[in-house]
Amino acid sequence: MKGTFDENGLPNNPVLREAYNNIVLGLSRINVIEGGVRAGKDVVGIAIFSELIMLHPANLFGVLGVSLEHAIQTIFQSDGFGIFYMIPHGRLTRENIDGAQRVVYRFINYWGIEKRIVIYGNSNKNIS
C-alpha cells in the first residue's frame, strides 16, 4: 500500500514502526496488533512476520487458523498482501502426518536456507 512503508520497508506509522522493531529486532516476545476495522493491521502484521521469518535463525514457524482454508486465506492470500506475495518464491504442499492434515509452505531465506511454515486448522472446513 502506497505510503504504508518508507523506502527501507519500515512502517511509516510510529505505532506500527514500534511493533516492527519489537518483532523483527526481538525486543519483546508477545506482540498484539489491534485497531479499528480497515486500519491496515493485517497488511503490516503479515509484512512484519514475513520479514521476521526471512531473518530469524529458526527454520520452522507455525500459523494457526480456524481451518486450513481460513489460515491460507487470511495469512497467505490476504487480498494480495499475504505471504504468497511477500515471499513469492515458496511452494505450498499438503501433508498428512499420523492422520492430521496440515499444509506446509517451504521457501528459501536470504541466505539460501530452506525454511518451513506449518499451517494448522481445526474445523471441518479445510481445503480439499
Side-chain angles (χ1 to χ4, degrees):
M1 302 285 302
K2 188 173 180 139
T4 304
F5 300 98
D6 67 12
E7 65 278 355
N8 297 314
L10 299 174
N12 284 324
N13 180 303
V15 173
L16 296 175
R17 186 178 292 245
E18 181 180 358
Y20 177 91
N21 289 332
N22 284 339
I23 295 168
V24 175
L25 300 178
L27 301 178
S28 64
R29 289 185 162 263
I30 297 173
N31 297 276
V32 177
I33 298 175
E34 61 181 2
V37 175
R38 316 247 343 126
K41 302 175 300 290
D42 293 348
V43 172
V44 172
I46 291 169
I48 292 170
F49 180 66
S50 298
E51 185 68 17
L52 173 69
I53 63 178
M54 287 296 284
L55 296 169
H56 199 279
N59 292 329
L60 181 65
F61 302 90
V63 167
L64 299 174
V66 174
S67 67
L68 287 173
E69 183 63 30
H70 175 264
I72 290 170
Q73 291 300 322
T74 305
I75 305 298
F76 288 85
Q77 293 289 346
S78 194
D79 294 325
F81 297 100
I83 290 176
F84 285 147
Y85 305 94
M86 299 300 294
I87 307 173
H89 58 278
R91 68 187 183 282
L92 195 66
T93 58
R94 194 162 131 184
E95 299 177 358
N96 224 339
I97 308 243
D98 295 329
Q101 187 180 57
R102 70 178 187 175
V103 174
V104 179
Y105 190 69
R106 288 176 171 79
F107 63 96
I108 305 296
N109 75 354
Y110 295 134
W111 298 279
I113 299 168
E114 183 178 88
K115 297 196 173 210
R116 295 176 297 152
I117 304 170
V118 181
I119 308 146
Y120 289 99
N122 274 340
S123 84
N124 292 330
K125 182 185 174 193
N126 287 317
I127 62 172
S128 52

